[in-house]
Coordinates of all heavy atoms in Angstrom, one line a residue:
M1 N -175.6 -33.0 -63.4 CA -176.7 -33.2 -64.3 C -177.5 -34.5 -64.0 O -177.0 -35.4 -63.4 CB -176.2 -33.3 -65.7 CG -175.5 -32.0 -66.2 SD -176.6 -30.6 -66.3 CE -177.5 -31.1 -67.8
P2 N -178.7 -34.6 -64.4 CA -179.5 -35.8 -64.2 C -178.9 -37.1 -64.6 O -178.9 -38.1 -63.9 CB -180.8 -35.5 -65.0 CG -180.9 -34.1 -65.0 CD -179.5 -33.6 -65.1
T3 N -178.2 -37.0 -65.8 CA -177.5 -38.2 -66.3 C -176.4 -38.7 -65.4 O -176.1 -39.9 -65.3 CB -177.0 -38.0 -67.7 OG1 -176.2 -36.8 -67.7 CG2 -178.1 -37.9 -68.7
D4 N -175.8 -37.7 -64.7 CA -174.7 -38.1 -63.7 C -175.3 -39.0 -62.6 O -174.7 -40.0 -62.3 CB -174.1 -36.8 -63.1 CG -173.4 -36.0 -64.1 OD1 -172.9 -36.5 -65.1 OD2 -173.3 -34.7 -63.9
F5 N -176.4 -38.6 -62.1 CA -177.0 -39.3 -61.0 C -177.5 -40.7 -61.5 O -177.2 -41.7 -60.9 CB -178.2 -38.6 -60.4 CG -177.9 -37.3 -59.7 CD1 -178.1 -36.1 -60.2 CD2 -177.3 -37.4 -58.4 CE1 -177.8 -34.9 -59.5 CE2 -176.9 -36.3 -57.7 CZ -177.2 -35.0 -58.2
L6 N -178.1 -40.7 -62.6 CA -178.7 -42.0 -63.2 C -177.6 -43.0 -63.4 O -177.8 -44.2 -63.2 CB -179.5 -41.7 -64.4 CG -180.8 -40.9 -64.2 CD1 -181.4 -40.4 -65.5 CD2 -181.8 -41.8 -63.5
R7 N -176.5 -42.6 -63.9 CA -175.4 -43.5 -64.3 C -174.6 -44.0 -63.1 O -174.0 -45.0 -63.1 CB -174.4 -42.8 -65.3 CG -175.1 -42.6 -66.7 CD -174.1 -42.1 -67.7 NE -174.7 -42.0 -69.0 CZ -174.7 -40.9 -69.7 NH1 -174.2 -39.8 -69.3 NH2 -175.3 -40.9 -70.9
Q8 N -174.7 -43.3 -62.0 CA -173.9 -43.6 -60.8 C -174.8 -44.4 -59.7 O -174.2 -44.9 -58.8 CB -173.3 -42.4 -60.1 CG -172.3 -41.6 -61.0 CD -171.2 -42.5 -61.5 OE1 -170.8 -43.5 -61.0 NE2 -170.5 -42.0 -62.6
L9 N -176.1 -44.4 -59.9 CA -176.9 -45.1 -59.0 C -176.6 -46.6 -59.0 O -176.2 -47.2 -60.0 CB -178.4 -44.9 -59.3 CG -179.1 -43.6 -58.8 CD1 -180.3 -43.3 -59.6 CD2 -179.4 -43.8 -57.3
P10 N -176.8 -47.3 -57.8 CA -176.6 -48.7 -57.8 C -177.4 -49.5 -58.8 O -178.5 -49.0 -59.1 CB -177.0 -49.1 -56.3 CG -176.8 -47.8 -55.6 CD -177.2 -46.7 -56.5
S11 N -176.9 -50.6 -59.3 CA -177.7 -51.4 -60.2 C -178.9 -52.1 -59.6 O -178.9 -52.3 -58.3 CB -176.8 -52.5 -60.9 OG -175.7 -51.9 -61.5
I12 N -179.8 -52.4 -60.4 CA -181.0 -53.2 -59.9 C -180.4 -54.6 -59.4 O -179.7 -55.3 -60.2 CB -182.0 -53.4 -61.0 CG1 -182.5 -52.1 -61.5 CG2 -183.2 -54.3 -60.5 CD1 -183.3 -52.1 -62.7
P13 N -180.7 -55.0 -58.2 CA -180.0 -56.2 -57.6 C -180.5 -57.5 -58.3 O -181.7 -57.6 -58.7 CB -180.4 -56.2 -56.2 CG -181.6 -55.3 -56.1 CD -181.5 -54.3 -57.2
D14 N -179.6 -58.4 -58.5 CA -180.0 -59.7 -59.0 C -180.4 -60.6 -57.8 O -180.1 -60.4 -56.7 CB -178.8 -60.4 -59.7 CG -178.4 -59.6 -60.9 OD1 -179.3 -59.1 -61.6 OD2 -177.1 -59.5 -61.1
S15 N -181.2 -61.7 -58.1 CA -181.6 -62.6 -57.1 C -182.2 -62.0 -55.9 O -181.8 -62.3 -54.7 CB -180.4 -63.5 -56.7 OG -179.9 -64.2 -57.8
V16 N -183.1 -61.0 -56.1 CA -183.7 -60.3 -55.0 C -184.4 -61.2 -54.0 O -184.3 -61.0 -52.8 CB -184.8 -59.3 -55.6 CG1 -185.6 -58.7 -54.4 CG2 -184.1 -58.2 -56.3
C17 N -185.0 -62.2 -54.4 CA -185.7 -63.1 -53.5 C -184.8 -63.9 -52.6 O -185.3 -64.5 -51.6 CB -186.6 -64.1 -54.3 SG -187.9 -63.2 -55.3
N18 N -183.5 -63.9 -52.8 CA -182.6 -64.7 -52.0 C -181.9 -63.7 -51.0 O -181.1 -64.2 -50.2 CB -181.6 -65.4 -52.8 CG -182.2 -66.5 -53.7 OD1 -183.1 -67.2 -53.2 ND2 -181.7 -66.7 -54.9
L19 N -182.1 -62.4 -51.1 CA -181.5 -61.5 -50.2 C -181.9 -61.7 -48.7 O -183.1 -61.9 -48.5 CB -181.7 -60.1 -50.6 CG -181.2 -59.7 -52.0 CD1 -181.5 -58.2 -52.3 CD2 -179.7 -59.9 -52.1
T20 N -181.0 -61.5 -47.8 CA -181.3 -61.5 -46.4 C -181.8 -60.2 -46.0 O -181.8 -59.2 -46.8 CB -180.1 -61.9 -45.5 OG1 -179.1 -60.9 -45.7 CG2 -179.5 -63.2 -46.0
V21 N -182.3 -60.0 -44.8 CA -182.8 -58.8 -44.3 C -181.6 -57.7 -44.3 O -181.8 -56.6 -44.7 CB -183.3 -58.9 -42.8 CG1 -183.7 -57.5 -42.3 CG2 -184.6 -59.8 -42.8
A22 N -180.5 -58.2 -43.9 CA -179.3 -57.3 -43.8 C -178.9 -56.8 -45.2 O -178.6 -55.7 -45.4 CB -178.1 -58.0 -43.2
Q23 N -179.0 -57.7 -46.2 CA -178.6 -57.4 -47.6 C -179.6 -56.4 -48.2 O -179.3 -55.5 -48.9 CB -178.5 -58.6 -48.4 CG -177.3 -59.5 -48.1 CD -177.3 -60.8 -48.8 OE1 -178.4 -61.4 -49.0 NE2 -176.1 -61.3 -49.1
K24 N -180.9 -56.6 -47.9 CA -181.9 -55.7 -48.3 C -181.7 -54.3 -47.8 O -181.7 -53.3 -48.5 CB -183.3 -56.2 -47.9 CG -183.9 -57.4 -48.7 CD -185.4 -57.6 -48.4 CE -185.6 -57.9 -46.9 NZ -187.1 -58.0 -46.7
Q25 N -181.4 -54.2 -46.5 CA -181.2 -52.9 -45.9 C -179.9 -52.3 -46.4 O -179.9 -51.0 -46.6 CB -181.0 -53.1 -44.3 CG -180.9 -51.8 -43.6 CD -182.1 -50.9 -43.9 OE1 -183.3 -51.3 -43.8 NE2 -181.8 -49.6 -44.2
Q26 N -178.9 -53.1 -46.7 CA -177.7 -52.5 -47.3 C -177.9 -51.9 -48.7 O -177.4 -50.8 -49.0 CB -176.6 -53.6 -47.4 CG -175.2 -53.1 -47.7 CD -174.2 -54.2 -47.7 OE1 -174.4 -55.4 -48.0 NE2 -173.0 -53.8 -47.3

């Protein structure tokens, strides 16, 4: 069900501006 996907998706990342290229790609 749609709710299954929505609840299991990765969280919105914190401190986006400090992520490296590798972390963004991950």
